[in-house]
Amino acid sequence: MPVPWFLLSLALGRNPMVLSLERVVGPQDTARCSPGLSCHLWDGDVLCLPGSLVSAPGPVLVPTRLQTELVLRCHEETDCDLCVRVAIHLAVQGYWEDPEDEEKFRRAADPELEEPRNASLQAHIVLSFQAYPTAHCVLLEVQVPAALVQPGQSVGSVVFDCFEAALGAEVQIWSYTQPRYQKELNLTQQLPDCRGLEVQDNIQSCWALPWLNVSADGEDVRLVLDVSEEQRFGLSLYWNQVQGPIKPWWHSNLTGPQTITLNHTDLVPCLCIQVWPLEPDSVRTSICPFREDPRAHRNLWRAARLQLLPPLGWRLDAPCSLPAEATLCWQPLDGGPCLSLVPPLPRENVTVNVSTWEKLQLQECLWADSLGPRKDDMLLVETRGPQDNGSLCALEPSGCTPLLSRASTRAARLGEQLLQDVQSGQCLQLWDNDLGALWACPMDKYIHQRWALVWLACLLLAAVLFLLLLLKMSRVKAAARSRAALLLYSADDASFERLVGALASALCQLPLRVAVDLWSRRDLSAQGALAWFHAQRRQTLQEGGVVVLLFSPGAVALCREWLQDATSAPRAHDPHDAFAASLSCVLPDFLQGRAPGRYIGAYFDKLLPADAVPALFRSVPVFSLPSQLPDFLGTLQGSAAPRPRRLAERAEQVSRALQPALDSCFRPPGAPGTGRGMGPEAGDRT
């Protein structure tokens, strides 16, 4: 997926949004306070030792928030260094233990006294600045007038100018008091490099800096080094660790410009890129563009390896370090993922490689190395209370079952025996600490193998499976035998007969066993239309088939003749017309309510309007073709109809087979290849 990489390329391109920085002139560090406070910066560095926490004797001044700002410390117009300005917000914390002490403090600051003393609250604030591999600490002395001392209230801030830092470095800042009355404040900040600041003309080390772009190359990643020809530079790919030095992965000295392709399987969240010109004291620019990439986190898991160390240790090896938690779990004999111990043993916090993007787990079982082949053992969890009173439960898929319980599980039934096995040393201890232990107890001696019952159960099971197989085979045979369908139509003209023949041929491919008089002219001549229809109708219905009435203008006209008053006898018709002959049997089925389930109707969209089908025949489903072909085919095939997707495919096949015949029916009158015109008058034959 190239989209995330194009977004990344925009973010890391040649022209990102830049910051314009304030200039600070002079090499000396300074401190200034907000109105009402007085402050002093002690000369020289101090030891960066926070010390232990102590109780405040009364109200004390403590830092509450750190705020940073980037500035330029300039020695000349074009000779500047990046500097971090730190603002410390202060507040009063704590109360007077003795009200008399508070009263004395207030009176000493009372301006109405003849000789008021300059009572104030004083604090020593330490600022610690670390940018690997150097550290720097300064001491600020701050005084707050007694009039501003209100416990729990902010009193102002003090600003320190400033800590010099390298471009692109990660800096950490701490602040605390001496002595320390509370947990130190801390702040971590990633400083921008030359591309993120408006400093190209002010910091000399940025003048010849190579520019690096990251873009997509299909599934892989392309690194484009945009530098002038013949300029030599160094490129390093490394794994940035949370603790300790970086781990180099690949390094090379190159001559620009260059394009380097990284395989997407090599990406991990901590993979960083560092580039610098091959000049003395040059600035190195580093970016880590894959921290939020899902593929990098998946690759991290694929590269991670968990290893158990005897007797009770473990180790996880992976390119990146992330906080995680290791815990004991258990795995049932039939395999599958490890399950949490219930009740759980205490978890041990360790630093391992875990992705927060996906809930993946690495697991390693003791059985693999220390206990030999897997066995049908019972895993017991022992929990110990404060007065040495312990309890035992057995791990089962349903949970941890107490041994002396009335549950209907194997562990509960054998609870007393398992307890005796633990006490007699027949169980193997897998884990032990002050709060609990794990035991593996063999179950072989409790398994009574009753071969007769086993064989009987196997025979019964085989008999049941054999019966099920026979039933399934009978159903398959029934399903394999295609359904019978008898097509009845009125031979209005030659083109309509070709259309009926195309439909019958297409239905035979479904499969359906189709009977139509077009294919039985010899039988019609020998038996007569009425006898042939009776024989075909009886056979079709006996086999669970269906009779299909194809309505056309001629068929509708014939039906109307049969439905007119009995006093008006129907006209004589072609003795070979099966449709006309069949009406004497079809109409009674509809008039007496026997048609549903035996008959369905159909007509072609452009040959007949929907309301032309007589109402008597609408007691059964009537379909418009080819628009309702899927429903028509599903009803035709009945219980053997395929799934909707397959049915739609078959309907498409039938529609394609009908299309040439349909086109032939609707050619303009007089066009080559046409039969007689189709219309209501086509059914009025003398």
Side-chain angles (χ1 to χ4, degrees), residues 424-506:
S424 61
Q426 298 184 41
C427 297
L428 176 64
Q429 189 177 68
L430 305 178
W431 192 273
D432 186 29
N433 61 19
D434 295 337
L435 298 179
L438 285 178
W439 302 87
C441 297
M443 299 294 292
D444 296 340
K445 59 182 178 180
Y446 300 117
I447 299 176
H448 301 287
Q449 298 176 347
R450 302 178 181 176
W451 291 106
L453 293 177
V454 171
W455 279 111
L456 179 60
C458 292
L459 290 174
L460 288 175
L461 179 62
V464 171
L465 292 176
F466 182 70
L467 290 175
L468 292 176
L469 181 62
L470 290 178
L471 289 175
K472 185 175 182 180
M473 290 178 62
S474 63
R475 291 179 181 177
V476 170
K477 289 181 179 179
R481 183 175 174 81
S482 54
R483 195 181 189 195
L486 173 61
L487 266 63
L488 296 180
Y489 69 98
S490 172
D492 291 9
D493 60 10
S495 61
F496 186 71
E497 283 190 308
R498 284 194 296 272
L499 179 58
V500 174
L503 176 62
S505 298

Coordinates of all heavy atoms in Angstrom, one line a residue, residues 424-506:
S424 N 2.8 -36.9 48.9 CA 3.8 -38.0 48.9 C 4.9 -37.8 47.9 O 5.8 -38.7 47.7 CB 3.0 -39.3 48.6 OG 2.5 -39.3 47.3
G425 N 5.0 -36.7 47.2 CA 6.1 -36.4 46.3 C 6.0 -37.1 44.9 O 7.0 -37.2 44.2
Q426 N 4.8 -37.6 44.5 CA 4.7 -38.2 43.2 C 4.4 -37.2 42.1 O 4.4 -37.6 40.9 CB 3.5 -39.2 43.3 CG 3.7 -40.4 44.3 CD 2.6 -41.4 44.2 OE1 2.1 -41.7 43.2 NE2 2.1 -41.9 45.4
C427 N 4.2 -36.0 42.4 CA 4.0 -34.9 41.4 C 5.3 -34.1 41.2 O 6.1 -34.0 42.2 CB 2.9 -34.0 41.8 SG 1.3 -34.8 42.0
L428 N 5.5 -33.6 40.0 CA 6.7 -32.9 39.7 C 6.4 -31.4 39.9 O 5.5 -30.8 39.3 CB 7.1 -33.1 38.2 CG 8.3 -32.3 37.7 CD1 9.6 -32.7 38.4 CD2 8.5 -32.6 36.2
Q429 N 7.3 -30.7 40.6 CA 7.1 -29.3 40.9 C 7.8 -28.5 39.7 O 8.9 -28.6 39.4 CB 7.8 -28.8 42.2 CG 7.4 -27.4 42.6 CD 8.0 -27.0 43.9 OE1 9.2 -26.9 44.1 NE2 7.1 -26.8 44.9
L430 N 6.9 -27.6 39.0 CA 7.4 -26.9 37.9 C 7.8 -25.5 38.3 O 8.7 -24.9 37.6 CB 6.3 -26.8 36.8 CG 5.7 -28.1 36.3 CD1 4.7 -27.9 35.3 CD2 6.8 -29.0 35.7
W431 N 7.2 -24.9 39.3 CA 7.5 -23.5 39.7 C 7.2 -23.4 41.2 O 6.3 -24.0 41.7 CB 6.5 -22.6 38.9 CG 6.8 -21.1 39.0 CD1 6.4 -20.2 39.9 CD2 7.6 -20.4 38.1 NE1 6.9 -19.0 39.6 CE2 7.7 -19.1 38.5 CE3 8.3 -20.8 36.9 CZ2 8.4 -18.1 37.8 CZ3 9.0 -19.8 36.2 CH2 9.1 -18.5 36.7
D432 N 8.0 -22.5 41.8 CA 7.8 -22.3 43.3 C 8.2 -20.9 43.7 O 9.3 -20.4 43.2 CB 8.6 -23.3 44.0 CG 8.3 -23.3 45.6 OD1 7.2 -22.9 45.9 OD2 9.2 -23.6 46.3
N433 N 7.4 -20.2 44.4 CA 7.8 -18.9 45.1 C 7.0 -18.8 46.3 O 6.3 -19.7 46.8 CB 7.7 -17.7 44.1 CG 6.2 -17.5 43.7 OD1 5.3 -18.0 44.3 ND2 6.0 -16.8 42.6
D434 N 7.1 -17.6 47.0 CA 6.5 -17.4 48.3 C 5.0 -17.4 48.2 O 4.3 -17.8 49.2 CB 7.0 -16.1 48.9 CG 8.5 -16.0 49.2 OD1 9.0 -17.1 49.3 OD2 9.1 -14.9 49.2
L435 N 4.4 -17.1 47.1 CA 3.0 -17.0 47.0 C 2.3 -18.2 46.4 O 1.1 -18.4 46.5 CB 2.6 -15.8 46.2 CG 3.0 -14.4 46.8 CD1 2.6 -13.3 45.9 CD2 2.5 -14.2 48.2
G436 N 3.0 -19.1 45.7 CA 2.4 -20.3 45.1 C 3.4 -21.2 44.4 O 4.6 -20.9 44.4
A437 N 2.8 -22.2 43.8 CA 3.6 -23.2 43.1 C 2.8 -23.9 42.1 O 1.6 -23.8 42.1 CB 4.2 -24.3 44.1
L438 N 3.5 -24.5 41.1 CA 2.8 -25.3 40.1 C 3.3 -26.8 40.2 O 4.5 -27.0 40.4 CB 3.2 -24.8 38.7 CG 2.5 -23.5 38.2 CD1 3.0 -23.1 36.9 CD2 1.0 -23.6 38.2
W439 N 2.4 -27.7 40.0 CA 2.7 -29.1 40.1 C 2.1 -29.8 38.9 O 1.0 -29.5 38.4 CB 2.1 -29.8 41.4 CG 2.5 -29.1 42.7 CD1 1.9 -28.1 43.3 CD2 3.6 -29.6 43.5 NE1 2.6 -27.8 44.5 CE2 3.6 -28.7 44.6 CE3 4.5 -30.6 43.4 CZ2 4.6 -28.8 45.6 CZ3 5.5 -30.7 44.4 CH2 5.5 -29.9 45.5
A440 N 2.9 -30.8 38.4 CA 2.4 -31.7 37.3 C 2.2 -33.1 37.8 O 3.2 -33.7 38.2 CB 3.3 -31.7 36.1
C441 N 1.0 -33.6 37.9 CA 0.7 -34.9 38.5 C 0.4 -35.9 37.4 O -0.6 -35.6 36.6 CB -0.4 -34.8 39.5 SG 0.0 -33.8 40.9
P442 N 1.1 -37.0 37.2 CA 0.7 -38.0 36.2 C -0.6 -38.7 36.5 O -1.0 -38.9 37.6 CB 1.9 -39.1 36.3 CG 2.4 -38.9 37.7 CD 2.2 -37.4 38.1
M443 N -1.4 -38.9 35.3 CA -2.7 -39.5 35.4 C -2.8 -40.9 34.9 O -3.9 -41.5 34.8 CB -3.7 -38.6 34.6 CG -3.7 -37.1 35.2 SD -4.5 -37.0 36.8 CE -6.1 -37.5 36.5
D444 N -1.7 -41.5 34.5 CA -1.7 -42.8 33.9 C -2.4 -43.9 34.7 O -3.2 -44.7 34.3 CB -0.3 -43.3 33.5 CG 0.3 -42.4 32.5 OD1 -0.4 -41.7 31.8 OD2 1.6 -42.4 32.3
K445 N -2.1 -43.9 36.1 CA -2.6 -44.9 36.9 C -4.1 -44.8 37.2 O -4.7 -45.7 37.7 CB -1.8 -44.9 38.2 CG -1.9 -43.6 39.0 CD -1.1 -43.7 40.3 CE -1.1 -42.4 41.1 NZ -0.3 -42.5 42.3
Y446 N -4.7 -43.7 36.9 CA -6.1 -43.5 37.1 C -7.0 -43.8 35.9 O -8.2 -43.6 35.9 CB -6.4 -42.1 37.6 CG -5.7 -41.7 38.9 CD1 -4.7 -40.7 38.9 CD2 -6.0 -42.4 40.0 CE1 -4.1 -40.4 40.1 CE2 -5.3 -42.1 41.2 CZ -4.4 -41.1 41.2 OH -3.7 -40.8 42.4
I447 N -6.3 -44.1 34.7 CA -7.0 -44.3 33.5 C -7.3 -45.8 33.4 O -6.4 -46.7 33.2 CB -6.2 -43.8 32.3 CG1 -6.0 -42.3 32.4 CG2 -6.9 -44.2 31.0 CD1 -5.1 -41.8 31.3
H448 N -8.5 -46.3 33.6 CA -8.9 -47.7 33.5 C -9.5 -47.9 32.0 O -10.5 -47.4 31.6 CB -10.1 -48.0 34.5 CG -9.7 -47.7 35.9 ND1 -8.8 -48.5 36.6 CD2 -10.0 -46.7 36.7 CE1 -8.6 -48.0 37.8 NE2 -9.4 -46.9 37.9
Q449 N -8.7 -48.7 31.3 CA -9.1 -48.9 29.9 C -10.0 -50.1 29.8 O -9.6 -51.3 30.1 CB -7.8 -49.2 29.1 CG -6.9 -48.0 29.1 CD -5.6 -48.3 28.4 OE1 -5.3 -49.4 28.1 NE2 -4.8 -47.2 28.1
R450 N -11.2 -49.9 29.5 CA -12.2 -50.9 29.3 C -12.4 -51.2 27.8 O -13.2 -50.6 27.2 CB -13.5 -50.5 30.0 CG -13.3 -50.1 31.4 CD -14.6 -49.6 32.1 NE -14.4 -49.3 33.5 CZ -15.4 -48.8 34.2 NH1 -16.6 -48.5 33.8 NH2 -15.1 -48.5 35.5
W451 N -11.7 -52.2 27.4 CA -11.6 -52.4 25.9 C -13.0 -52.9 25.4 O -13.3 -52.5 24.2 CB -10.6 -53.5 25.6 CG -9.2 -53.0 25.9 CD1 -8.3 -53.3 26.9 CD2 -8.5 -52.0 25.1 NE1 -7.2 -52.6 26.8 CE2 -7.2 -51.8 25.7 CE3 -8.8 -51.3 23.9 CZ2 -6.3 -50.9 25.1 CZ3 -7.9 -50.4 23.4 CH2 -6.6 -50.2 24.0
A452 N -13.7 -53.7 26.1 CA -15.0 -54.1 25.6 C -15.9 -53.0 25.3 O -16.6 -52.9 24.2 CB -15.6 -55.1 26.6
L453 N -16.0 -52.1 26.3 CA -16.9 -50.9 26.1 C -16.4 -50.0 25.0 O -17.2 -49.4 24.2 CB -17.0 -50.1 27.4 CG -17.7 -50.8 28.6 CD1 -17.7 -49.9 29.8 CD2 -19.2 -51.1 28.2
V454 N -15.1 -49.9 24.9 CA -14.5 -49.1 23.8 C -14.8 -49.7 22.4 O -15.3 -49.0 21.5 CB -13.0 -49.0 24.0 CG1 -12.3 -48.3 22.8 CG2 -12.6 -48.2 25.2
W455 N -14.7 -51.0 22.3 CA -15.0 -51.7 21.0 C -16.5 -51.6 20.7 O -16.9 -51.3 19.6 CB -14.6 -53.1 21.0 CG -13.1 -53.3 20.8 CD1 -12.2 -53.7 21.6 CD2 -12.4 -53.1 19.5 NE1 -10.9 -53.8 21.0 CE2 -11.1 -53.4 19.7 CE3 -12.9 -52.6 18.3 CZ2 -10.1 -53.2 18.7 CZ3 -11.9 -52.5 17.3 CH2 -10.6 -52.8 17.5
L456 N -17.3 -51.7 21.7 CA -18.8 -51.6 21.5 C -19.1 -50.2 21.0 O -19.9 -50.0 20.1 CB -19.5 -52.0 22.8 CG -21.1 -51.9 22.7 CD1 -21.6 -52.8 21.6 CD2 -21.7 -52.2 24.1
A457 N -18.5 -49.2 21.7 CA -18.8 -47.9 21.3 C -18.3 -47.6 19.9 O -19.0 -46.9 19.1 CB -18.1 -46.9 22.3
C458 N -17.1 -48.2 19.5 CA -16.6 -48.0 18.2 C -17.6 -48.6 17.1 O -17.8 -48.1 16.1 CB -15.2 -48.6 18.0 SG -14.0 -47.7 18.9
L459 N -18.1 -49.9 17.5 CA -19.0 -50.5 16.5 C -20.3 -49.7 16.4 O -20.8 -49.6 15.3 CB -19.3 -52.0 17.0 CG -18.1 -52.9 16.9 CD1 -18.5 -54.3 17.6 CD2 -17.7 -53.2 15.5
L460 N -20.8 -49.3 17.5 CA -22.0 -48.5 17.4 C -21.8 -47.2 16.6 O -22.7 -46.8 15.7 CB -22.5 -48.1 18.8 CG -23.1 -49.2 19.6 CD1 -23.4 -48.7 21.1 CD2 -24.4 -49.8 19.0
L461 N -20.7 -46.6 16.8 CA -20.4 -45.4 16.0 C -20.2 -45.7 14.5 O -20.7 -45.0 13.7 CB -19.1 -44.8 16.6 CG -18.6 -43.5 15.9 CD1 -19.6 -42.4 16.0 CD2 -17.3 -43.0 16.4
A462 N -19.6 -46.8 14.2 CA -19.4 -47.2 12.8 C -20.8 -47.5 12.2 O -21.0 -47.1 11.0 CB -18.5 -48.5 12.7
A463 N -21.7 -48.1 13.0 CA -23.0 -48.4 12.4 C -23.8 -47.1 12.1 O -24.4 -47.0 11.1 CB -23.8 -49.3 13.4
V464 N -23.7 -46.2 13.1 CA -24.4 -44.9 12.9 C -23.8 -44.2 11.7 O -24.6 -43.6 10.8 CB -24.2 -44.1 14.2 CG1 -24.8 -42.6 13.9 CG2 -25.0 -44.7 15.3
L465 N -22.5 -44.2 11.5 CA -21.9 -43.5 10.4 C -22.3 -44.2 9.1 O -22.5 -43.5 8.1 CB -20.3 -43.5 10.6 CG -19.8 -42.7 11.7 CD1 -18.2 -42.9 11.8 CD2 -20.1 -41.2 11.5
F466 N -22.4 -45.5 9.1 CA -22.8 -46.3 7.9 C -24.2 -45.9 7.5 O -24.5 -45.6 6.3 CB -22.7 -47.8 8.1 CG -23.0 -48.6 6.9 CD1 -22.2 -48.6 5.8 CD2 -24.2 -49.3 6.9 CE1 -22.5 -49.4 4.7 CE2 -24.5 -50.1 5.8 CZ -23.7 -50.1 4.7
L467 N -25.1 -45.8 8.5 CA -26.5 -45.4 8.2 C -26.6 -44.0 7.7 O -27.3 -43.7 6.7 CB -27.4 -45.5 9.5 CG -27.7 -47.0 9.9 CD1 -28.4 -46.9 11.2 CD2 -28.5 -47.7 8.9
L468 N -25.8 -43.1 8.3 CA -25.7 -41.7 7.8 C -25.2 -41.6 6.4 O -25.7 -40.8 5.5 CB -24.9 -40.8 8.7 CG -25.4 -40.6 10.1 CD1 -24.4 -39.8 11.0 CD2 -26.8 -39.8 10.1
L469 N -24.2 -42.5 6.1 CA -23.7 -42.5 4.7 C -24.7 -43.0 3.7 O -24.8 -42.4 2.6 CB -22.4 -43.4 4.7 CG -21.7 -43.5 3.4 CD1 -21.2 -42.2 2.9 CD2 -20.6 -44.5 3.5
L470 N -25.5 -44.0 4.1 CA -26.5 -44.5 3.2 C -27.6 -43.4 2.9 O -28.0 -43.2 1.8 CB -27.2 -45.7 3.8 CG -26.3 -47.0 3.8 CD1 -27.1 -48.2 4.5 CD2 -25.9 -47.4 2.4
L471 N -28.0 -42.7 4.0 CA -29.0 -41.6 3.8 C -28.4 -40.6 2.9 O -29.1 -40.0 2.1 CB -29.3 -41.1 5.2 CG -30.2 -42.0 6.1 CD1 -30.4 -41.3 7.5 CD2 -31.6 -42.3 5.5
K472 N -27.1 -40.2 3.2 CA -26.6 -39.2 2.3 C -26.5 -39.6 0.9 O -26.7 -38.8 0.0 CB -25.2 -38.8 2.9 CG -24.5 -37.6 2.2 CD -23.2 -37.2 2.8 CE -22.6 -36.0 2.1 NZ -21.3 -35.6 2.7
M473 N -26.1 -40.9 0.7 CA -26.0 -41.3 -0.7 C -27.4 -41.3 -1.4 O -27.5 -41.0 -2.6 CB -25.4 -42.7 -0.7 CG -23.9 -42.8 -0.4 SD -23.3 -44.5 -0.3 CE -23.5 -45.0 -2.1
S474 N -28.4 -41.7 -0.7 CA -29.8 -41.7 -1.3 C -30.2 -40.3 -1.6 O -30.8 -40.0 -2.7 CB -30.8 -42.3 -0.3 OG -30.9 -41.6 0.9
R475 N -29.8 -39.3 -0.7 CA -30.2 -37.9 -1.0 C -29.4 -37.4 -2.2 O -29.9 -36.7 -3.1 CB -29.9 -37.1 0.2 CG -30.8 -37.3 1.4 CD -30.4 -36.4 2.5 NE -31.3 -36.7 3.7 CZ -31.1 -36.1 4.9 NH1 -30.2 -35.2 5.0 NH2 -32.0 -36.4 5.8
V476 N -28.1 -37.9 -2.3 CA -27.3 -37.4 -3.4 C -27.9 -38.0 -4.7 O -27.9 -37.3 -5.8 CB -25.8 -37.9 -3.2 CG1 -25.0 -37.7 -4.5 CG2 -25.2 -37.1 -2.1
K477 N -28.3 -39.3 -4.7 CA -28.9 -39.9 -5.9 C -30.1 -39.1 -6.3 O -30.4 -38.9 -7.5 CB -29.2 -41.3 -5.7 CG -27.9 -42.2 -5.6 CD -28.3 -43.7 -5.4 CE -27.0 -44.6 -5.4 NZ -27.4 -46.0 -5.1
A478 N -31.0 -38.8 -5.3 CA -32.2 -38.1 -5.6 C -31.9 -36.7 -6.2 O -32.6 -36.3 -7.1 CB -33.0 -38.0 -4.3
A479 N -30.9 -36.1 -5.6 CA -30.5 -34.8 -6.1 C -29.9 -34.8 -7.5 O -30.1 -33.9 -8.3 CB -29.6 -34.1 -5.1
A480 N -29.2 -35.9 -7.7 CA -28.5 -36.1 -9.0 C -29.5 -36.3 -10.1 O -29.2 -36.0 -11.3 CB -27.5 -37.2 -9.0
R481 N -30.6 -36.9 -9.8 CA -31.7 -37.2 -10.9 C -32.4 -35.9 -11.2 O -33.0 -35.3 -10.3 CB -32.7 -38.2 -10.4 CG -33.7 -38.6 -11.4 CD -34.6 -39.7 -10.9 NE -35.7 -40.0 -11.8 CZ -35.6 -40.7 -12.9 NH1 -34.4 -41.2 -13.3 NH2 -36.6 -40.9 -13.7
S482 N -32.2 -35.4 -12.4 CA -32.8 -34.1 -12.7 C -34.3 -34.1 -12.7 O -34.9 -35.1 -13.0 CB -32.2 -33.6 -14.1 OG -32.5 -34.6 -15.0
R483 N -34.9 -32.9 -12.5 CA -36.3 -32.8 -12.4 C -36.9 -32.8 -13.8 O -36.3 -32.2 -14.7 CB -36.7 -31.5 -11.6 CG -38.1 -31.5 -11.2 CD -38.5 -30.2 -10.5 NE -39.8 -30.3 -9.8 CZ -40.4 -29.2 -9.4 NH1 -39.8 -28.0 -9.4 NH2 -41.6 -29.3 -8.8
A484 N -38.1 -33.3 -14.0 CA -38.8 -33.3 -15.3 C -39.6 -32.1 -15.4 O -40.2 -31.6 -14.5 CB -39.7 -34.6 -15.4
A485 N -39.7 -31.6 -16.7 CA -40.5 -30.4 -17.0 C -41.1 -30.6 -18.4 O -40.4 -31.0 -19.3 CB -39.6 -29.1 -17.0
L486 N -42.5 -30.4 -18.4 CA -43.2 -30.5 -19.7 C -43.6 -29.1 -20.1 O -44.3 -28.4 -19.4 CB -44.5 -31.3 -19.4 CG -45.5 -31.4 -20.6 CD1 -44.8 -32.1 -21.8 CD2 -46.7 -32.2 -20.2
L487 N -43.1 -28.7 -21.3 CA -43.4 -27.4 -21.9 C -44.6 -27.4 -22.8 O -44.6 -28.2 -23.8 CB -42.2 -26.9 -22.6 CG -41.2 -26.0 -21.9 CD1 -40.6 -26.7 -20.7 CD2 -40.1 -25.4 -22.8
L488 N -45.6 -26.6 -22.5 CA -46.8 -26.5 -23.4 C -46.9 -25.1 -23.9 O -46.7 -24.1 -23.2 CB -48.1 -26.8 -22.6 CG -48.2 -28.2 -22.0 CD1 -49.5 -28.4 -21.2 CD2 -48.2 -29.3 -23.1
Y489 N -47.1 -25.0 -25.2 CA -47.1 -23.7 -25.9 C -48.0 -23.7 -27.1 O -48.4 -24.8 -27.6 CB -45.7 -23.3 -26.3 CG -45.2 -24.1 -27.5 CD1 -45.2 -23.7 -28.8 CD2 -44.6 -25.4 -27.2 CE1 -44.8 -24.4 -29.8 CE2 -44.2 -26.2 -28.3 CZ -44.3 -25.7 -29.6 OH -43.8 -26.5 -30.6
S490 N -48.3 -22.6 -27.6 CA -49.1 -22.5 -28.8 C -48.2 -22.1 -29.9 O -47.5 -21.1 -29.9 CB -50.2 -21.4 -28.6 OG -50.9 -21.2 -29.9
A491 N -48.2 -22.9 -31.0 CA -47.3 -22.6 -32.1 C -47.8 -21.5 -33.0 O -48.4 -21.7 -34.0 CB -47.1 -23.9 -33.0
D492 N -47.6 -20.3 -32.5 CA -48.1 -19.1 -33.2 C -47.5 -18.9 -34.5 O -48.2 -18.6 -35.5 CB -47.9 -17.8 -32.3 CG -48.7 -17.8 -31.1 OD1 -49.3 -18.8 -30.8 OD2 -48.7 -16.8 -30.4
D493 N -46.2 -19.1 -34.7 CA -45.5 -19.0 -35.9 C -44.1 -19.6 -35.8 O -43.8 -20.1 -34.7 CB -45.4 -17.5 -36.4 CG -44.6 -16.7 -35.5 OD1 -44.0 -17.2 -34.5 OD2 -44.5 -15.4 -35.6
A494 N -43.4 -19.7 -36.9 CA -42.1 -20.4 -36.9 C -41.1 -19.7 -36.0 O -40.3 -20.4 -35.3 CB -41.5 -20.4 -38.4
S495 N -41.0 -18.4 -35.9 CA -40.1 -17.7 -35.1 C -40.3 -18.0 -33.6 O -39.4 -18.2 -32.8 CB -40.0 -16.2 -35.3 OG -41.3 -15.7 -35.0
F496 N -41.6 -18.1 -33.2 CA -41.9 -18.4 -31.8 C -41.5 -19.9 -31.5 O -41.1 -20.2 -30.4 CB -43.4 -18.2 -31.6 CG -43.8 -18.3 -30.1 CD1 -43.4 -17.4 -29.2 CD2 -44.5 -19.5 -29.7 CE1 -43.7 -17.6 -27.8 CE2 -44.8 -19.6 -28.3 CZ -44.4 -18.7 -27.4
E497 N -41.7 -20.8 -32.5 CA -41.3 -22.2 -32.3 C -39.8 -22.3 -32.1 O -39.3 -23.0 -31.3 CB -41.8 -23.0 -33.4 CG -43.3 -23.4 -33.4 CD -43.6 -24.4 -34.4 OE1 -43.3 -24.2 -35.6 OE2 -44.2 -25.4 -34.0
R498 N -39.0 -21.5 -32.9 CA -37.6 -21.5 -32.7 C -37.2 -20.9 -31.3 O -36.3 -21.4 -30.6 CB -36.9 -20.6 -33.8 CG -36.8 -21.3 -35.1 CD -35.9 -20.5 -36.0 NE -36.3 -19.2 -36.3 CZ -37.1 -18.9 -37.3 NH1 -37.6 -19.8 -38.1 NH2 -37.5 -17.6 -37.5
L499 N -38.0 -19.9 -30.8 CA -37.7 -19.4 -29.5 C -38.0 -20.4 -28.4 O -37.2 -20.6 -27.4 CB -38.6 -18.2 -29.2 CG -38.5 -17.5 -27.9 CD1 -37.1 -17.0 -27.6 CD2 -39.4 -16.3 -27.8
V500 N -39.1 -21.2 -28.5 CA -39.4 -22.3 -27.6 C -38.4 -23.4 -27.6 O -37.9 -23.9 -26.6 CB -40.8 -22.9 -27.9 CG1 -41.1 -24.1 -27.0 CG2 -41.9 -21.8 -27.7
G501 N -37.9 -23.7 -28.8 CA -36.8 -24.7 -29.0 C -35.5 -24.3 -28.3 O -34.9 -25.1 -27.6
A502 N -35.2 -23.0 -28.4 CA -34.0 -22.4 -27.8 C -34.1 -22.5 -26.2 O -33.2 -22.9 -25.5 CB -33.7 -21.0 -28.2
L503 N -35.3 -22.2 -25.7 CA -35.6 -22.3 -24.3 C -35.5 -23.7 -23.8 O -34.8 -24.0 -22.8 CB -36.9 -21.7 -23.9 CG -37.4 -21.8 -22.5 CD1 -36.4 -21.0 -21.6 CD2 -38.8 -21.3 -22.3
A504 N -36.1 -24.6 -24.5 CA -36.0 -26.0 -24.1 C -34.6 -26.6 -24.1 O -34.2 -27.3 -23.2 CB -36.9 -26.9 -25.0
S505 N -33.8 -26.2 -25.1 CA -32.4 -26.7 -25.2 C -31.6 -26.1 -24.0 O -30.8 -26.8 -23.4 CB -31.8 -26.2 -26.5 OG -32.5 -26.9 -27.6
A506 N -31.8 -24.8 -23.7 CA -31.1 -24.2 -22.6 C -31.4 -24.8 -21.3 O -30.6 -25.0 -20.4 CB -31.4 -22.6 -22.6

